[in-house]
Amino acid sequence: MKQERTVWNFFKRNAAYIILALCVLAIGLAITLVMVNRSAELSAQNDEREQVKVVTPEPTDDPSTPVQEPIDDTPVPDVPVVKVISFTMPVENATAVEDYTETLAYNSTLKRFEAHKAIDFFAEDGTPVYAAYDGVVSDVKTTLLTGTTVTIDHGNGLFTVYNSLTDGDKVFVGQSVKQGAEIGTVSTSNRQESKEGAHLHFQVVENGETINPAKYLAFAEK
């Protein structure tokens, strides 16, 4: 009995310390449990990360496998449409043609050598002469030396010149003409080439320079 009393008195005297010790122990245990649970959660998250892997498809040489091309959003500029100009023959069924040349050639009328920057279409006097291409008549003139000349403006610095025509009033300045429209007739009105016979002296001027009409003429039709 005395021993039990002694124990009881011990607890009684040290109750506050015992309670404090128990509280500290409980707190320590709770902290330990929280740390263990947190460690377990982190370990589980790491395991999940290791299991998730990025799978990169292996390259294949199989032509049946569709390949997605990258989309190019760069705007495509409008490409201007270039109209090809092709002249028709200004004289049909010409009996002969004298070619354009920038070298000296003999002029039997003037009895001298000079460049012939035109194509001559020889035909009977009065043979119709046609506009080689659509345009607007920019000049009609008649002189004693060159005879009657009609000039047609085709736009963009391109002109056709029809010389040695018969005097007449088939066209006038400012008149719009279509390709193939009759604008005059062949004659010998150009006195500089009168000994050559009736013909059309046909020139092409591009950006102020007299050029070879063959650039635009479809000679397969000749």
Side-chain angles (χ1 to χ4, degrees):
M1 257 331 253
K2 186 176 179 180
Q3 185 179 4
E4 292 177 356
R5 226 183 262 117
T6 300
V7 172
W8 174 251
N9 289 333
F10 174 80
F11 278 107
K12 210 171 163 186
R13 287 194 303 270
N14 299 287
Y17 298 104
I18 293 171
I19 292 172
L20 181 59
L22 290 173
C23 289
V24 171
L25 181 62
I27 292 172
L29 181 60
I31 291 174
T32 302
L33 290 174
V34 170
M35 294 298 292
V36 170
N37 289 336
R38 180 60 180 164
S39 178
E41 290 176 359
L42 291 175
S43 178
Q45 290 177 1
N46 289 335
D47 290 342
E48 290 178 358
R49 286 179 186 149
E50 289 180 359
Q51 291 176 1
V52 177
K53 293 182 179 179
V54 178
V55 179
T56 303
E58 294 293 332
T60 177
D61 294 330
D62 185 359
S64 63
T65 303
V67 177
Q68 185 174 1
E69 297 292 340
I71 299 175
D72 185 3
D73 294 331
T74 304
V76 179
D78 294 333
V79 178
V81 177
V82 179
K83 185 177 181 181
V84 178
I85 296 177
S86 179
F87 292 166
T88 54
M89 287 296 156
V91 176
E92 294 181 352
N93 303 317
T95 56
V97 175
E98 182 177 346
D99 293 330
Y100 172 101
T101 178
E102 295 183 359
T103 59
L104 297 180
Y106 186 69
N107 184 319
S108 61
T109 302
L110 300 177
K111 297 181 179 180
R112 69 186 184 191
F113 288 89
E114 59 183 5
H116 187 257
K117 294 186 177 182
I119 292 180
D120 287 345
F121 293 89
F122 294 89
E124 291 183 6
D125 200 338
T127 300
V129 174
Y130 306 102
Y133 197 69
D134 298 348
V136 176
V137 177
S138 61
D139 190 32
V140 178
K141 65 182 179 181
T142 301
T143 67
L144 182 63
L145 187 62
T146 61
T148 299
T149 302
V150 172
T151 302
I152 299 177
D153 183 357
H154 304 288
N156 297 317
L158 182 64
F159 296 83
T160 48
V161 182
Y162 309 77
N163 175 255
S164 195
L165 300 178
T166 303
D167 295 345
D169 56 357
K170 289 188 177 294
V171 291
F172 55 87
V173 174
Q175 178 181 347
S176 294
V177 292
K178 291 292 185 180
Q179 187 175 43
E182 185 176 346
I183 60 171
T185 57
V186 170
S187 76
T188 58
S189 65
N190 185 345
R191 294 178 182 272
Q192 296 181 108
E193 298 179 350
S194 59
K195 288 189 176 181
E196 304 295 328
H199 67 280
L200 169 69
H201 185 83
F202 181 70
Q203 293 178 298
V204 174
V205 177
E206 187 174 53
N207 299 321
E209 181 181 356
T210 302
I211 67 168
N212 191 343
K215 176 179 178 180
Y216 293 103
L217 280 169
F219 271 100
E221 300 177 9
K222 184 173 64 176

